[in-house]
Amino acid sequence: MKSIINFSWVALLFLTLNLNAQGLHLGIKGGVNFNKSSGLNFNDKRAFGYNFGGYIYYDFTKNVGIQLEGLYGRSAVRFNPASQDQANGISEGKKFIKMLSMPVLAKVNVGELFSAVAGPQFNAIRNSNNIRLNNGERAFDSKIGISYTAGIDLGILYFRYNWGNKSLNKLIEGDFKSNQYQIGFRVTVL
């Protein structure tokens, strides 16, 4: 009985989407990151990276919708000299973090070419085994972390500001802050 109810909900969802297909859109996007992590073990200079992936959004009304994104990104994190002398520190320099991200964004459309978006972003580091502390432990958790994102879509351009990701880091001693700017191109294909 439970499987019949679940199948009915899924069928109703697909029927609704088919009837309202003009509100459903798919696209691809890609761009660059400017990442900055600050805290006891981090050098607070910006470092470059990239991101790419796809998105799907559904407009409930002309002005309000929801946008889901699936992104792969590579971000650089810089560690400071004080960190390399600590047992739970890490060697000085730049390390690259490969991350899968899924932003879940509320979308407000203002005209044909301008939209504002904001919401949580779920992140998972894909190479957490490769970045090790001086004592041999992983520097970053492999569990899913949450950050927040806000930005605008302006025609084929997008701008985002992401902050958070504290739960991904094992190095935290004192205050830790992470933020990232993204800029790139997006193309809606459907």
Side-chain angles (χ1 to χ4, degrees), residues 72-172:
Y72 174 82
R74 182 176 168 208
S75 298
V77 177
R78 296 177 187 264
F79 295 93
N80 67 30
S83 176
Q84 67 184 351
D85 296 330
Q86 301 170 6
N88 66 336
I90 196 165
S91 60
E92 179 184 7
K94 188 177 0 178
K95 307 287 189 233
F96 292 97
I97 298 172
K98 298 174 183 175
M99 188 175 303
L100 293 176
S101 301
M102 187 178 140
V104 179
L105 307 171
K107 184 171 184 159
V108 177
N109 303 313
V110 182
E112 292 288 319
L113 296 177
F114 181 83
S115 299
V117 295
Q121 176 171 293
F122 302 93
N123 307 295
I125 294 178
R126 303 307 306 154
N127 65 335
S128 62
N129 284 330
N130 299 340
I131 304 173
R132 297 283 177 168
L133 300 175
N134 294 335
N135 63 12
E137 290 183 43
R138 287 191 307 200
F140 296 95
D141 284 335
S142 58
K143 65 182 180 182
I144 294 178
I146 298 175
S147 60
Y148 305 96
T149 188
I152 59 171
D153 294 338
L154 185 60
I156 63 168
L157 296 175
Y158 69 90
F159 304 92
R160 298 282 190 275
Y161 176 70
N162 301 318
W163 67 98
N165 276 341
K166 184 173 181 174
S167 60
L168 293 174
N169 187 348
K170 287 186 173 182
L171 295 170
I172 299 168

Side-chain angles (χ1 to χ4, degrees), residues 29 32-36 38 46 51 69 103 105 117-121 147-153 158-164 177-183:
K29 62 186 284 189
V32 294
N33 304 333
F34 305 97
N35 193 61
K36 180 178 174 182
S38 59
R46 291 237 175 250
N51 67 82
E69 299 178 358
L105 307 171
V117 295
Q121 176 171 293
S147 60
Y148 305 96
T149 188
I152 59 171
D153 294 338
Y158 69 90
F159 304 92
R160 298 282 190 275
Y161 176 70
N162 301 318
W163 67 98
K177 295 179 183 174
S178 174
N179 63 61
Q180 180 182 83
Y181 293 99
Q182 294 179 352
I183 183 172

Side-chain angles (χ1 to χ4, degrees), residues 41-93:
N41 292 298
F42 298 94
N43 182 329
D44 62 358
K45 293 181 181 175
R46 291 237 175 250
F48 292 96
Y50 62 83
N51 67 82
F52 64 89
Y55 60 90
I56 182 170
Y57 69 90
Y58 184 78
D59 290 327
F60 298 110
T61 69
K62 180 180 174 184
N63 300 101
V64 178
I66 187 168
Q67 181 165 308
L68 303 175
E69 299 178 358
L71 304 172
Y72 174 82
R74 182 176 168 208
S75 298
V77 177
R78 296 177 187 264
F79 295 93
N80 67 30
S83 176
Q84 67 184 351
D85 296 330
Q86 301 170 6
N88 66 336
I90 196 165
S91 60
E92 179 184 7

